[in-house]
Amino acid sequence: MDFKFTEEQEAIREMVRDFVDQEMRPRAQAIDEEEKTDFNIINKAAELGLMGVSLPEEYGGIGQGKVGFCIFVEEMSKGCAGTATAIGCHQSIGAMTIVVDGTPEQKQKYLPDMAAGKKIGAFALTEPNAGSDAAAIQTTATKDGDYWILNGRKQWVTNGPFANVVTVFAVTDKGLGAHGGVTAFIVENTFPGYVVGTKDHKMGIRGSESCELIFDNCKVPKENILGQFGAGFLTAMRTLDMGRMTLAAGCLGGAKEALKLSVKHCSERFQFGKPLAEQPVVQQYLAQMAADIYSMESMIYRTAAMADNGQKYSRESAICKLFCSETSGRVIDTAVQLHGGLGYMREHPIERIYRDCRINRIFEGTSEIQKLVIARDVLKKGGY
Amino acid sequence: MRVIVLLKQVPDPGQIGVSRTKGTLFEKGKRILNPADEHVLELAAELKSKEQADFVALASGPEPVVEVLRRAYAFGADQCYHLVEELDEGDHFAKARALAGAIRLIAKERGEVDLVLAGKGSPAWGAGQTGARIAAELELPQALWVAKLRVHGRELEATQLAGGEEQVRRVPMPALVTVDPSANKPRIPNALLLMKAFKREVKKLGLEELGLTPDAFAAGSTQVRIVRTYAPD
Ligand SMILES: Cc1cc2nc3c(=O)[nH]c(=O)nc-3n(C[C@H](O)[C@H](O)[C@H](O)COP(=O)(O)OP(=O)(O)OC[C@H]3O[C@@H](n4cnc5c(N)ncnc54)[C@H](O)[C@@H]3O)c2cc1C
């Protein structure tokens, strides 16, 4: 067993780190206040090829595979979790549906522009009455000659306000239920009947925008059916396998940033005549944070390597999502504690990081849903 | 226009220890591209886009030196050369002689070289000697610590910083220029170029190809002798 990043992966990490240091971290606090995705950063990322890190080389991407993409998301999430969500969503659940299940024509049509950041991707599954119970979606698609007509509402669609290419899941046969009755469609924001609804106001990751999308007799050409007709749920689940693992990598980045800030603060803050870092209790906290980080890092890259080797990793990515969102939440909470009152002040980045990380236990499947998925697997196999 | 960029791999200043007993430095981590050379790469990349310059990079030293040449490819270099040698790093005379020989060889292979670019200096020995010595070996006019460089036909307009003042001088090409870090802000290389750099071929050169007699590099033939190294108090 050889657990070493390749030179290419190290080089990407270093490059993204430079990008984050120069372009992302210095803007993170302001972006949080503005509550808007910073297109200046997105455009710079696009110029540097960073809008297509996960996409295949033949379609203009960097072809970095899952390990490389996790490195990318981890590093970005250290600097600004909101911007990282916008860029990460575009490439993971946004474009990945097409990579996973697109026809060669669909790939050729959409992926090069997405890899170049000219078109932004999004993923629209959740509806007002279908969150954890995604199978309960009510958006419908009915056939009309060479078109499918979509009607319904999707909510909390990350990148929704400006996305150009959205994978939309709709019921094509109510009688067949989730498996057989739901189809994925590639929907462009220019299609007639595509309406961008109100933008959400969020607790954290405010550099990422989400909104409602309304399909009002939205006309989608039949060649935009993604994957097999009726097998939309499979597309969603396969895409979420990757989404959950990369989300875990984002958690890792947030936790590493929190530890770094904590070490700095505890070394510089004097109470009782010495730095906080000299207090045994504080050291215990720091040690636990480091141990947590090491376990997250280990599982994420092991899982990503499995995925790159073509192994199945649904259970593992659910474990990564559950463990890393919960663990990084704890690490970041400890970091706030170590900063004392300062950690509660808007002026300090750890306050934002704390708000930013809370979403990780909710989107792309809540912790409870991950537990459900993992438990089902364990029960089926009679153990791990 | 053809530009040759000279790159040096140096110990990472954050990863150096000093042995108190031996008075020598030891390296704890991987070597890096001399930080000053990032500015040289940036200038070469700019000349490539503005003047359509052929952008060639050269580095010398043992095998790991190839890594800094990848950085050159990531900045858009057209061809990289690695002069494989294990000369004493403190011997600027021998290094300069070898690099000058390699530049001559590259000129023969690729066509005449108009501009040799080097960094202001490196944190390794901090002597800042190599650029000037190569210019002397090749009998090229030189402009050192250049903060601004313009090309006017076959002539360079080089702005140098000297004692807080700017000196502008015109230098006919071919010439050698060392680049002051104030000249530019190095770009973050494009991720695609960065990845492709790993697949690009680096041409290897050996000392024996340079047409120099072996004793050009033999111990004692150059003018540097290290008497003693010691740790600062
Ligand atoms: C900022 C943000 C961005 C988002 N981006 C996207 C996006 O881009 N695309 C998209 O499609 N969706 C997106 N979502 C939606 C997100 O995936 C859902 O919010 C999430 O799946 C949970 O659904 P819900 O909010 O309806 O909660 P509910 O399903 O109503 O759950 C409420 C609570 O009940 C628990 N619960 C539910 N069912 C069970 C059960 N069977 N057993 C035990 N506990 C249960 C849940 O775990 C949770 O704690 C986003 C959400 C947010 C907040």
Side-chain angles (χ1 to χ4, degrees):
Chain A
M1 193 175 199
D2 179 13
F3 209 72
K4 243 184 16 209
F5 292 111
T6 63
E7 282 184 297
E8 283 91 337
Q9 289 160 350
E10 297 283 10
I12 277 282
R13 188 186 286 281
E14 200 176 306
M15 180 233 163
V16 178
R17 204 173 270 170
D18 286 344
F19 181 72
V20 169
D21 288 347
Q22 288 180 32
E23 308 290 345
M24 284 173 74
R25 192 180 286 99
R27 284 275 300 138
Q29 297 293 95
I31 288 172
D32 178 55
E33 293 290 331
E34 292 157 14
E35 211 175 349
K36 265 169 102 168
T37 297
D38 185 339
F39 266 83
N40 203 10
I41 297 181
I42 303 270
N43 293 338
K44 282 184 183 155
E47 267 171 43
L48 294 177
L50 295 178
M51 292 303 273
V53 175
S54 70
L55 302 184
E57 266 175 281
E58 53 184 314
Y59 298 110
I62 309 296
Q64 268 306 290
K66 310 285 191 284
V67 172
F69 190 59
C70 284
I71 289 172
F72 173 56
V73 172
E74 180 197 330
E75 290 302 326
M76 279 199 304
S77 303
K78 290 179 185 172
C80 177
T83 309
T85 303
I87 297 176
C89 168
H90 158 72
Q91 298 178 49
S92 86
I93 56 177
M96 214 27 77
T97 47
I98 300 176
V99 174
V100 166
D101 272 337
T103 62
E105 294 75 33
Q106 288 168 339
K107 288 180 180 171
Q108 199 51 60
K109 179 163 182 201
Y110 293 108
L111 293 181
D113 279 350
M114 293 179 93
K118 287 186 200 147
K119 292 208 165 122
I120 302 291
F123 177 94
L125 178 63
T126 305
E127 297 181 4
N129 293 318
S132 298
D133 184 10
I137 57 168
Q138 295 167 334
T139 296
T140 56
T142 45
K143 194 154 197 264
D144 179 14
D146 285 343
Y147 290 88
W148 284 82
I149 309 298
L150 267 58
N151 277 292
R153 289 169 176 264
K154 296 289 178 182
Q155 71 178 6
W156 303 335
V157 181
T158 301
N159 289 350
F162 42 76
N164 310 94
V165 182
V166 185
T167 304
V168 180
F169 299 88
V171 177
T172 39
D173 187 338
K174 199 154 188 284
L176 289 176
H179 295 284
V182 171
T183 301
F185 294 87
I186 305 172
V187 180
E188 295 180 36
N189 62 336
T190 50
F191 289 172
Y194 178 102
V195 182
V196 175
T198 42
K199 191 180 128 176
D200 305 316
H201 294 287
K202 310 197 297 302
M203 175 198 291
I205 54 161
R206 286 149 58 100
S208 136
E209 296 180 39
S210 63
C211 70
E212 190 181 30
L213 291 181
I214 301 137
F215 303 95
D216 180 12
N217 286 315
C218 180
K219 245 177 119 172
V220 180
K222 69 174 194 296
E223 61 271 17
N224 276 31
I225 286 180
L226 181 61
Q228 263 186 29
F229 184 78
F233 233 71
L234 269 179
T235 303
M237 294 309 131
R238 271 207 296 256
T239 306
L240 286 173
D241 277 350
M242 168 153 176
R244 288 167 179 169
M245 183 178 63
T246 30
L247 190 150
C251 296
L252 173 63
K256 282 190 181 172
E257 186 78 2
L259 177 57
K260 200 168 131 202
L261 289 169
S262 301
V263 167
K264 181 170 189 289
H265 180 75
C266 294
S267 308
E268 289 168 359
R269 170 75 173 164
F270 275 67
Q271 288 291 279
F272 302 101
K274 55 187 176 187
L276 293 177
E278 287 182 22
Q279 302 288 354
V281 177
V282 168
Q283 291 186 2
Q284 279 183 28
Y285 278 141
L286 295 174
Q288 185 61 49
M289 290 162 92
D292 285 340
I293 285 171
Y294 183 63
S295 35
M296 286 193 268
E297 190 178 61
S298 305
M299 72 171 66
I300 290 164
Y301 290 107
R302 181 177 168 192
T303 306
M306 277 173 69
D308 279 340
N309 289 334
Q311 286 166 265
K312 214 174 141 8
Y313 66 108
S314 303
R315 178 188 60 181
E316 287 73 13
S317 76
I319 291 175
C320 287
K321 162 72 164 77
L322 171 65
F323 185 88
C324 296
S325 62
E326 303 263 337
T327 306
S328 72
R330 197 168 60 232
V331 168
I332 293 165
D333 184 86
T334 308
V336 171
Q337 194 66 18
L338 287 170
H339 281 78
L342 185 61
Y344 201 72
M345 296 298 153
R346 273 279 163 109
E347 72 202 56
H348 199 282
I350 198 65
E351 182 271 344
R352 170 183 49 79
I353 294 170
Y354 182 76
R355 283 184 286 110
D356 284 347
C357 81
R358 188 61 184 83
I359 186 62
N360 291 320
R361 285 186 267 162
I362 299 171
F363 64 2
E364 297 202 30
T366 62
S367 287
E368 293 71 26
I369 294 306
Q370 307 309 323
K371 285 179 188 167
L372 222 79
V373 172
I374 300 161
R376 201 181 295 146
D377 181 87
V378 169
L379 289 168
K380 198 164 88 186
K381 294 200 178 111
Y384 186 81
Chain B
M1 180 176 189
R2 179 163 296 102
V3 178
I4 291 198
V5 164
L6 304 178
L7 300 177
K8 184 170 181 183
Q9 195 177 39
V10 297
D12 184 341
Q15 302 276 326
I16 290 179
V18 180
S19 159
R20 299 257 149 213
T21 48
K22 289 192 214 134
T24 50
L25 297 178
F26 59 91
E27 296 167 30
K28 294 183 277 190
K30 264 177 64 171
R31 289 191 159 205
I32 58 168
L33 174 65
N34 175 24
D37 294 356
E38 292 265 334
H39 301 276
V40 185
L41 285 176
E42 177 59 34
L43 181 57
E46 285 165 14
L47 289 171
K48 181 179 159 125
S49 60
K50 272 193 233 148
E51 309 287 334
Q52 288 78 48
D54 182 34
F55 173 2
V56 179
L58 167 64
S60 83
E63 195 47 46
V65 161
V66 176
E67 286 164 27
V68 302
L69 291 169
R70 292 214 190 98
R71 190 90 186 143
Y73 277 135
F75 271 72
D78 295 296
Q79 181 63 54
C80 289
Y81 291 87
H82 176 196
L83 173 62
V84 187
E85 47 84 357
E86 308 226 341
L87 298 169
D88 185 330
E89 289 192 21
D91 191 342
H92 314 110
F93 288 83
K95 281 271 182 193
R97 205 169 282 164
L99 284 166
I103 293 169
R104 277 192 216 102
L105 202 65
I106 293 167
K108 237 185 255 165
E109 180 181 312
R110 223 175 151 81
E112 200 191 326
V113 174
D114 303 291
L115 177 60
V116 180
L117 289 178
K120 180 177 178 178
S122 74
W125 286 83
Q129 296 267 315
T130 313
R133 292 201 183 283
I134 290 171
E137 287 279 341
L138 295 173
E139 296 178 354
L140 294 179
Q142 52 181 295
L144 305 183
W145 301 10
V146 169
K148 227 184 297 169
L149 190 73
R150 289 226 187 101
V151 180
H152 304 286
R154 294 294 301 157
E155 206 174 63
L156 297 170
E157 181 189 310
T159 306
Q160 294 166 283
L161 301 174
E165 296 199 1
E166 284 195 351
Q167 288 179 4
V168 181
R169 70 174 64 182
R170 287 184 170 252
V171 186
M173 286 197 274
L176 181 140
V177 166
T178 69
V179 182
D180 191 85
S182 68
N184 54 42
K185 180 168 175 263
R187 66 193 59 191
I188 296 174
N190 179 288
L192 198 55
L193 280 180
L194 188 65
M195 290 301 102
K196 281 195 177 145
F198 285 90
K199 296 180 191 140
R200 298 279 306 269
E201 180 220 10
V202 170
K203 287 196 178 159
K204 300 278 181 194
L205 305 173
L207 286 180
E208 61 291 345
E209 292 169 64
L210 303 183
L212 293 164
T213 55
D215 58 32
F217 309 110
S221 72
T222 64
Q223 295 163 52
V224 174
R225 194 159 54 88
I226 294 163
V227 180
R228 186 167 75 95
T229 57
Y230 54 94
D233 295 326

